[in-house]
Amino acid sequence: MKNILSFSATLCCLILVSSPIFAQNTTKEINFEGLKIIYKKTPKQVITASLFVKGGTANITDAQQGLEVMALNLALDGGTKKMNKDDFAAKADKLGTSFAASGSADYSTMTMTCLKENFGPSWEMFNNAIFEPAMDESEFKVLKDQMIAQAKQRESDPDTYLRKMATEALFGGTDYAKIPEGTPATLETITIADVKNYYQNLLGKKKCYLVVVGNIEEKDLLQNVKNSLAKLPAGQLAKTPTFKSVTTADAIIKDRTLATNYILGTMNAPKYNSVDGPLFDFAIRILYDRYFVELRTKRSLSYAPAASYSKRTIQQPVANLYITTIDPKQSLLVMTDIINSIKKDGFTEKEVKDKKKSFLTRYYMTNESSAAQASQLGFCEASGNWKLFDEINTKISLVKLADLNKAFNKYMTVIDWAYLGKQDQVAKEDFKQLAK
């Protein structure tokens, strides 16, 4: 059975890699009238266009948390000067077109996904929303209430609150400590005038780039861009978010009576667009497997232990060690012991061989849709090089055990712990650090 599963994973990976959807020569960069476009032609009959706005949390002050996300969502979802929200939504439904806006630490996006046959009218709607949003006050109030409710829900969720604790501990006082979606307090103060003024000064060619993935000819795309996004003003260059790195070992303990205890360890990690980036990503996937086997399968300390490489803070990615458990002392000991064992003895050749198959299979399967590819291409561009999207296959195929161990040991040094749960179940000394 194990051999059959291994063969299936290998076959799936080969099929996906050889598919024209992932052919490396189908992606290109175009500079069209001052606007950078990353264009990927695929056979899919679904087209996604995403306008990326650089800067993210660097664009807003502490008091403006949530403002950019609110402005972009109101523009895309609040109707236009030519069509109210209900008519806009009804037409989008009829065309099978979706619109969405989101924000993150380093950039925000405005995205349209449609069928190839409906690209013309969908693109027109997309650009009407970008250039002529209604910015209706009644729709603003609805959106504001929704975002406040969501912010309050995030604060009551233990997982989200734990990550907020860890983020504030690491990035406090920098742009990366800001919450793009806003807090209840900051959202309450935002007015429709704030949104209109902010949006009016946000978009510009120096701060934006367009990612388009789907079955559309380059000349047709550029003709549509010429009559729309090419008319954006030059604007100003985006700022780069400020950040900090993990320099000293620490543990923040927050007492809360919960059914289980939540623990998150944070460490420095390499930038994705670096020699160590893909190597570290690969290594953390193997650490995740070891955590699952040891902490869940063998010891039943947790249902879902995890290790991850968080790239959402592009200038300073982090490695996360996560567990929910009723036995925090033993869990902390085992989590650090596993890492120390790897630092001492390294990963194995078998682990590397097996992980190459599953890593690439998962990467390609999660990037099958046009929307997923556009998102990943845009992220890679924000990280410094959109070509990483296509190069990952080669980089992972060439991973060597010695390089993997070296990258892992280089960054797995100091842990900044955050704990949310019953305080009487842990002490400061239980939050272990790694061997030198």
Side-chain angles (χ1 to χ4, degrees):
M1 176 61 74
K2 187 175 181 180
N3 290 335
I4 292 174
L5 291 173
S6 178
F7 173 76
S8 298
T10 304
L11 180 61
C12 181
C13 186
L14 288 172
I15 292 171
L16 287 165
V17 171
S18 61
S19 166
I21 294 172
F22 296 102
Q24 294 186 19
N25 61 3
T26 61
T27 311
K28 65 187 296 186
E29 180 180 319
I30 305 166
N31 190 317
F32 186 73
E33 298 186 11
L35 178 68
K36 178 182 280 192
I37 303 172
I38 300 166
Y39 162 65
K40 183 177 181 66
K41 189 175 188 299
T42 72
K44 287 184 174 290
Q45 299 304 301
V46 176
I47 301 171
T48 294
S50 286
L51 184 66
F52 283 73
V53 185
K54 295 182 283 188
T57 51
N59 294 339
I60 55 175
T61 65
D62 287 339
Q64 291 176 322
Q65 292 177 80
L67 179 56
E68 183 164 306
V69 172
M70 185 180 291
L72 297 181
N73 274 279
L74 185 60
L76 270 189
D77 194 44
T80 69
K81 292 179 180 178
K82 296 179 180 178
M83 195 181 301
N84 65 37
K85 177 179 178 176
D86 291 339
D87 291 343
F88 189 92
K91 185 173 181 180
D93 247 7
K94 185 176 180 180
L95 293 171
T97 301
S98 64
F99 300 93
S102 65
S104 64
D106 292 271
Y107 57 82
S108 296
T109 60
M110 302 177 81
T111 300
M112 179 269 290
T113 298
C114 67
L115 298 173
K116 176 185 177 181
E117 63 197 65
N118 294 328
F119 181 79
S122 299
W123 179 264
E124 183 180 5
M125 293 176 69
F126 187 45
N127 282 277
N128 283 339
I130 291 173
F131 284 97
E132 297 185 323
M135 294 292 174
D136 180 77
E137 186 160 13
S138 61
E139 297 300 339
F140 160 75
K141 290 178 179 178
V142 171
L143 176 61
K144 179 177 176 177
D145 288 343
Q146 290 173 343
M147 290 185 66
I148 291 173
Q150 291 165 359
K152 289 179 178 178
Q153 186 174 10
R154 285 193 300 271
E155 291 196 344
S156 65
D157 175 67
D159 270 318
T160 306
Y161 190 82
L162 177 73
R163 294 187 182 280
K164 181 183 177 183
M165 287 171 56
T167 299
E168 289 177 346
L170 173 56
F171 295 125
T174 72
D175 289 330
Y176 278 165
K178 300 170 188 172
I179 301 173
E181 299 83 4
T183 69
T186 61
L187 291 168
E188 286 282 6
T189 66
I190 296 174
T191 66
I192 184 64
D194 294 330
V195 172
K196 287 180 177 179
N197 182 63
Y198 185 85
Y199 186 78
Q200 184 178 3
N201 297 288
L202 177 62
L203 305 182
K205 293 176 185 176
K206 291 182 180 180
K207 191 181 283 186
C208 299
Y209 57 93
L210 178 68
V211 180
V212 179
V213 177
N215 194 350
I216 183 171
E217 297 299 327
E218 181 181 335
K219 61 180 179 60
D220 296 330
L221 171 63
L222 296 184
Q223 185 58 48
N224 280 281
V225 172
K226 182 179 180 65
N227 299 322
S228 54
L229 293 177
K231 296 180 180 179
L232 281 172
Q236 297 182 344
L237 290 171
K239 299 176 184 177
T240 300
T242 56
F243 61 92
K244 294 178 184 175
S245 301
V246 179
T247 55
T248 56
D250 199 5
I252 298 174
I253 301 172
K254 179 76 173 180
D255 187 34
R256 183 178 289 186
T257 302
L258 299 166
T260 187
N261 305 292
Y262 294 75
I263 302 172
L264 182 65
T266 304
M267 289 167 289
N268 294 327
K271 291 184 178 181
Y272 191 56
N273 180 29
S274 69
V275 174
D276 289 338
L279 284 169
F280 192 78
D281 196 1
F282 190 94
I284 291 296
R285 304 291 181 93
I286 301 178
L287 177 61
Y288 176 97
D289 293 343
R290 289 205 184 185
Y291 271 12
F292 189 88
V293 170
E294 192 65 34
L295 290 158
R296 175 178 170 171
T297 307
K298 290 185 178 180
R299 298 174 183 258
S300 299
L301 286 169
S302 175
Y303 178 75
S308 62
Y309 172 34
S310 176
K311 305 178 282 288
R312 68 178 186 82
T313 46
I314 289 172
Q315 300 303 319
Q316 179 54 77
V318 296
N320 286 324
L321 312 176
Y322 169 83
I323 194 167
T324 59
T325 179
I326 59 173
D327 190 345
K329 289 189 178 185
Q330 188 181 0
S331 297
L332 286 162
L333 180 61
V334 175
M335 291 169 82
T336 49
D337 279 351
I338 291 171
I339 296 175
N340 284 331
S341 174
I342 297 172
K343 291 181 70 174
K344 179 176 179 290
D345 301 320
F347 296 106
T348 67
E349 290 284 4
K350 185 178 185 305
E351 284 177 317
V352 174
K353 181 181 178 181
D354 292 344
K355 184 52 66 177
K356 281 184 179 181
K357 300 171 187 175
S358 61
F359 184 103
L360 289 173
T361 299
R362 181 178 178 182
Y363 179 80
Y364 287 118
M365 290 186 72
T366 54
N367 286 298
E368 280 192 280
S369 71
S370 62
Q373 290 184 52
S375 177
Q376 185 67 11
L377 274 166
F379 162 75
C380 289
E381 170 64 17
S383 298
N385 185 3
W386 60 264
K387 294 179 181 178
L388 281 168
F389 177 84
D390 289 323
E391 292 173 351
I392 195 69
N393 176 41
T394 302
K395 290 180 180 291
I396 296 303
S397 297
L398 295 175
V399 167
K400 296 179 180 178
L401 180 60
D403 295 333
L404 192 68
N405 289 330
K406 183 179 179 181
F408 186 81
N409 290 346
K410 180 179 178 180
Y411 296 94
M412 304 299 276
T413 54
V414 180
I415 308 176
D416 198 354
W417 291 104
Y419 174 91
L420 181 65
K422 296 172 183 174
Q423 188 171 346
D424 59 4
Q425 293 193 4
V426 291
K428 276 276 188 177
E429 56 267 24
D430 294 323
F431 293 87
K432 308 297 180 181
Q433 290 299 316
L434 301 174
K436 300 295 184 182

